[in-house]
Amino acid sequence: MARKGENIFKRKDGRWEGRYIKGYENGRAVYGYVFGKSYSEAKKKKAEAMAGRSTAGQSSHQTPRPKLQSSDQPFLREVAYQWLDGLKTTRRKSTVAKYEGQLRNHIIPKFGDKRIDEISNNDLISFSQKLLEKGKKPRTAADIISRMRAIRKFSVLHGYEVNYVSDCTEIPQTFEKTRVLSSDEEKRLVAYLKENLNPTNLGILLSLFTGIRLGELCALKWSDFCLKEREFQVFKTMQRLPNSDKWADKGSDKTNRKTHVEIGAPKSPCSIRTIPLPEKLMSYLRSAYCNDAYILSGQKCKFIEPRTMEYRFKAVLKNCGLQETKFHTLRHTFATRCVEAGFDVKTLSEILGHAGVNITLNRYVHPSMRTKHENMSKLNALI
């Protein structure tokens, strides 16, 4: 269903559906539904149902939702579950999994047993300070606080009393310097990969000269390549996600795996793209070609997941005598080399799968000191 807002959706049959909480059973929300021919009609019926002025869209045995007293306010744990449930039809599974982890590991332990109206600004300020004291990076801490902001908005929309303002705390952001391989490091790495060519090293070489993400590389098959046209398509990615019972008690059946590998759509629609291949890569690709197999395993039914590929990349760096870094460094290195080689930014942005050139320039372009010197030398003619 397409989402319009305020938990109101357009159904496939053309009607608009509004969902609201009419009560609780065993600590879980019980939802009521209203329907309308338009968004505004569904919104009006939903407001009437929540206020108890109308039972439109409800069965005859249901009772209007009474105005909540302070003692009837739900616990934050309940509201957090309700908010998260509402995201599952509109957000990517990886995004929902990320939010679940933040709730389970940080927000629920701190505020889960408090009623939503019992949380104060001071509580939120103290919480943000504790996150930083425990070693969380400012960006991570700010991200967790933004979940509290979303829960607050959800609570207000559903008529709950909220006594904290998420903007009461501000976490100063610090930006770590992004690692980019120097020209000498890149040459040393390329020489090692070519001398020790195997599916893993071919994948590293491909990432270094096309800038594809790790998950995209792991999901890549030879059937995605058109060697004749010197290009390949990116339309899927691989990631490890928690299983559906992630809210279950930790004491439950430990024989069940907590996570699974999923291959699905990439990060965004812009990430679906066709990438041209450099001519000098073609001989290596042709020699390794195996119809319909994963390029990192050379087998049709066996894949290499991102976590394993990270381990293998670190082993390659160690063998090269290079400083340890993340696989994503290859993407930053590719973008930086492209700018140094004179790529126009729009072309580079589309190759990287970005929504706009600002992301490319601000996050993925890191001029070297040599490039800065070369550009400053252009001023000599004016002096």
Side-chain angles (χ1 to χ4, degrees):
M1 293 184 290
R3 185 177 183 180
K4 179 72 174 181
E6 299 182 357
N7 228 6
I8 299 176
F9 306 85
K10 188 173 185 180
R11 297 163 53 93
K12 291 183 179 180
D13 60 10
R15 294 184 300 165
W16 288 86
E17 174 185 320
R19 184 172 68 167
Y20 65 96
I21 298 171
K22 61 183 181 181
Y24 297 90
E25 289 183 5
N26 300 321
R28 304 292 297 193
V30 177
Y31 289 94
Y33 303 88
V34 295
F35 303 92
K37 295 181 180 179
S38 64
Y39 169 76
S40 57
E41 182 182 349
K43 182 177 180 181
K44 180 180 179 181
K45 287 184 177 181
K46 177 185 171 183
E48 291 174 347
M50 290 178 63
R53 292 193 297 267
S54 171
T55 57
Q58 304 180 48
S59 59
S60 58
H61 67 275
Q62 293 173 348
T63 56
R65 180 177 182 268
K67 182 177 176 62
L68 293 175
Q69 302 297 322
S70 179
S71 60
D72 295 326
Q73 294 287 336
F75 291 100
L76 180 130
R77 180 191 306 273
E78 299 167 344
V79 179
Y81 290 164
Q82 297 161 20
W83 165 71
L84 199 63
D85 284 342
L87 297 181
K88 291 181 178 178
T89 58
T90 60
R91 301 294 178 90
R92 298 174 69 240
K93 289 183 179 180
S94 58
T95 300
V96 174
K98 173 186 174 181
Y99 292 173
E100 282 180 334
Q102 292 173 337
L103 292 177
R104 182 176 62 250
N105 297 326
H106 304 288
I107 293 175
I108 298 299
K110 178 66 177 179
F111 300 116
D113 295 329
K114 279 194 171 189
R115 298 189 185 279
I116 190 67
D117 61 329
E118 293 177 337
I119 302 172
S120 67
N121 288 340
N122 287 336
D123 290 331
L124 203 61
I125 293 172
S126 175
F127 178 52
S128 63
Q129 292 173 344
K130 289 291 184 182
L131 289 172
L132 295 174
E133 290 172 4
K134 290 180 179 179
K136 293 295 177 184
K137 294 181 179 179
R139 182 176 177 180
T140 302
D143 204 31
I144 294 171
I145 293 299
S146 70
R147 304 293 86 80
M148 291 295 292
R149 182 180 299 113
I151 292 171
R152 181 189 186 280
K153 181 178 179 180
F154 178 88
S155 301
V156 171
L157 287 173
H158 286 77
Y160 305 142
E161 183 179 344
V162 184
N163 293 318
Y164 72 87
V165 180
S166 52
D167 293 335
C168 67
T169 178
E170 184 176 347
I171 300 176
Q173 296 298 298
T174 57
F175 297 93
E176 298 179 1
K177 186 176 180 180
T178 304
R179 174 95 158 91
V180 173
L181 298 180
S182 67
S183 296
D184 290 339
E185 289 175 321
E186 185 175 3
K187 289 178 183 177
R188 195 190 313 178
L189 176 60
V190 170
Y192 175 86
L193 295 174
K194 291 162 65 176
E195 291 172 6
N196 300 274
L197 203 61
N198 56 38
T200 293
N201 291 349
L202 180 61
I204 296 173
L205 202 61
L206 184 66
S207 295
L208 184 59
F209 288 104
T210 63
I212 61 172
R213 301 177 179 94
L214 177 56
E216 296 169 343
L217 172 67
C218 292
L220 203 59
K221 284 189 169 185
W222 284 109
S223 55
D224 302 326
F225 285 76
C226 180
L227 298 184
K228 183 179 179 180
E229 300 294 332
R230 287 199 297 118
E231 62 188 31
F232 67 100
Q233 292 183 318
V234 176
F235 58 92
K236 55 188 181 296
T237 190
M238 182 185 297
Q239 52 194 336
R240 180 169 285 278
L241 299 175
N243 286 327
S244 58
D245 61 343
K246 30 195 174 298
W247 285 112
D249 183 33
K250 292 182 179 179
S252 59
D253 185 4
K254 295 182 179 179
T255 61
N256 294 331
R257 291 184 177 272
K258 295 181 180 180
T259 61
H260 69 281
V261 173
E262 182 168 304
I263 299 175
K267 190 174 182 180
S268 68
C270 297
S271 296
I272 299 175
R273 61 202 188 276
T274 299
I275 302 178
L277 289 160
E279 178 63 42
K280 289 191 175 182
L281 279 184
M282 297 309 300
S283 60
Y284 305 112
L285 294 172
R286 292 191 181 100
S287 63
Y289 185 86
C290 181
N291 189 39
D292 204 31
Y294 288 97
I295 71 162
L296 291 181
S297 68
Q299 300 180 39
K300 293 183 179 181
C301 300
K302 180 182 178 181
F303 55 76
I304 305 299
E305 68 167 291
R307 181 169 54 185
T308 301
M309 194 60 186
E310 280 279 13
Y311 294 149
R312 294 185 177 183
F313 178 59
K314 290 180 181 179
V316 167
L317 292 176
K318 185 176 181 180
N319 292 336
C320 293
L322 297 178
Q323 180 184 346
E324 185 177 299
T325 187
K326 295 180 180 178
F327 194 93
H328 202 71
T329 296
L330 298 177
R331 185 167 163 87
H332 285 272
T333 301
F334 167 76
T336 300
R337 294 291 175 269
C338 286
V339 171
E340 292 174 354
F343 273 52
D344 72 87
V345 181
K346 179 60 177 177
T347 296
L348 176 57
S349 179
E350 292 187 2
I351 290 175
L352 291 172
H354 288 158
V357 296
N358 286 338
I359 297 175
T360 307
L361 289 171
N362 295 334
R363 296 185 187 176
Y364 287 91
V365 177
H366 315 280
S368 65
M369 184 55 69
R370 185 184 66 182
T371 301
K372 293 175 183 177
H373 275 292
E374 290 174 352
N375 279 284
M376 291 298 287
S377 296
K378 296 175 182 179
L379 296 176
N380 288 333
L382 303 176
I383 299 175

